[in-house]
Amino acid sequence: MNKKAVALLSGGLDSMLAIRLMLEQGIEIHAMYFYFVFSHGNRDEAEKNIKKFTDPLKIPVEISDGTQELLSMVKSPQYAIGKNMNPCIDCRIFTLIKAGEFMNKIGAGFIVTGEVLGERPLSQRLDALKLIDRESGLEGLIVRPLSAKLLEPTRPEKEGILDRERLMSISGRRRVEQLSLARKFGIEEYQTPAGGCLLTDKGFSARLRDFLKHDIDSDMNNL
């Protein structure tokens, strides 16, 4: 296994911190950003914000639009959905499968995510993380640096590519440790935790249900 990894980058603080922790261990990072109209609004502005983080670090970014795939998951989720129309587990499996394909394409050795154990009630429980790893076909290859010490060692840790002692043991929804790390790394701009996916919003989900019921053309403008 080599020291090259694909890191899922959302624009949120957790994924930024995960990348910085990997860079500190000498890992060559290729970021992968998934644009979803439900989460990121204007695409040009979203990509501009991502590059404010990656450009100074000279990290290449692969950009993928997953809106139509996510809409298919909303219509027919395979796994449990949240309180509204958020198919978080299906969505995570999709992004990781795509990241795995990109990993193989560029010859990287593993995947990095900013997931924190227990931070999100549906997709970041321990049982959900294990399900996601298995269904994505990437068991042992997904490193979650912020919670790594609370999870089973991954292949990069077992093979000495990563020093497990330099990884974190963060859990839950309090962000005290993340904010401390952000100050250490000088990260000041990132998406607010409350500004996430509109599919978790009760009012938006009600409008989307009505939209789908009338079978309106699901182009980007309408969405």
Side-chain angles (χ1 to χ4, degrees):
M1 180 175 288
N2 58 44
K3 300 192 75 169
K4 182 191 294 187
V6 172
L8 296 184
L9 177 60
S10 66
L13 180 58
D14 292 343
S15 61
M16 292 178 176
L17 293 174
I19 287 174
R20 290 301 300 266
L21 288 169
M22 293 293 92
L23 293 175
E24 284 211 326
Q25 294 207 32
I27 302 302
E28 178 186 342
I29 293 294
H30 289 248
M32 191 166 193
Y33 170 70
F34 286 89
Y35 170 78
F36 298 111
V37 72
F38 303 116
S39 302
H40 303 129
N42 180 275
R43 176 166 176 163
D44 290 340
E45 190 65 28
E47 292 181 13
K48 180 181 176 182
N49 290 335
I50 285 292
K51 291 187 176 182
K52 284 182 182 178
F53 174 73
T54 57
D55 285 355
L57 298 172
K58 296 181 171 56
I59 296 173
V61 184
E62 175 76 6
I63 296 173
S64 179
D65 190 326
T67 296
Q68 291 299 331
E69 288 88 348
L70 181 53
L71 185 61
S72 295
M73 298 173 219
V74 168
K75 292 177 178 177
S76 301
Q78 183 175 355
Y79 297 100
I81 63 171
K83 291 181 180 179
N84 295 295
M85 294 196 73
N86 47 309
C88 298
I89 293 176
D90 291 74
C91 182
R92 203 58 175 173
I93 292 169
F94 162 73
T95 57
L96 284 166
I97 288 173
K98 292 297 182 183
E101 292 171 356
F102 183 58
M103 175 187 75
N104 293 328
K105 179 181 176 180
I106 66 171
F110 57 100
I111 306 288
V112 176
T113 85
E115 291 163 302
V116 171
L117 183 64
E119 186 174 81
R120 300 198 182 279
L122 182 61
S123 62
Q124 293 180 12
R125 304 186 318 266
L126 183 58
D127 61 325
L129 293 178
K130 290 181 177 180
L131 169 67
I132 289 165
D133 288 3
R134 184 174 67 251
E135 292 302 306
S136 67
L138 293 166
E139 286 182 285
L141 295 177
I142 302 174
V143 176
R144 299 175 171 95
L146 297 177
S147 295
K149 288 182 180 179
L150 302 175
L151 305 170
E152 290 293 321
T154 57
R155 273 188 57 195
E157 295 165 74
K158 292 177 180 178
E159 296 181 14
I161 302 297
L162 294 175
D163 181 354
R164 185 173 173 86
E165 292 306 308
R166 296 171 65 187
L167 303 176
M168 308 295 291
S169 56
I170 301 173
S171 66
R173 307 187 78 167
R174 296 180 70 241
R175 296 168 62 82
V176 175
E177 291 176 271
Q178 289 99 312
L179 293 173
S180 177
L181 271 178
R183 289 191 292 271
K184 172 186 172 182
F185 290 132
I187 299 174
E188 297 179 349
E189 292 189 47
Y190 49 87
Q191 292 177 3
T192 61
C197 182
L198 284 169
L199 296 173
T200 66
D201 180 83
K202 182 178 179 179
F204 180 84
S205 293
R207 293 195 298 275
L208 184 59
R209 286 190 191 97
D210 187 57
F211 175 88
L212 297 175
K213 182 174 68 175
H214 289 86
D215 198 28
I216 301 169
D217 182 25
S218 302
D219 65 22
M220 294 299 284
N221 287 331
N222 283 335
L223 292 173

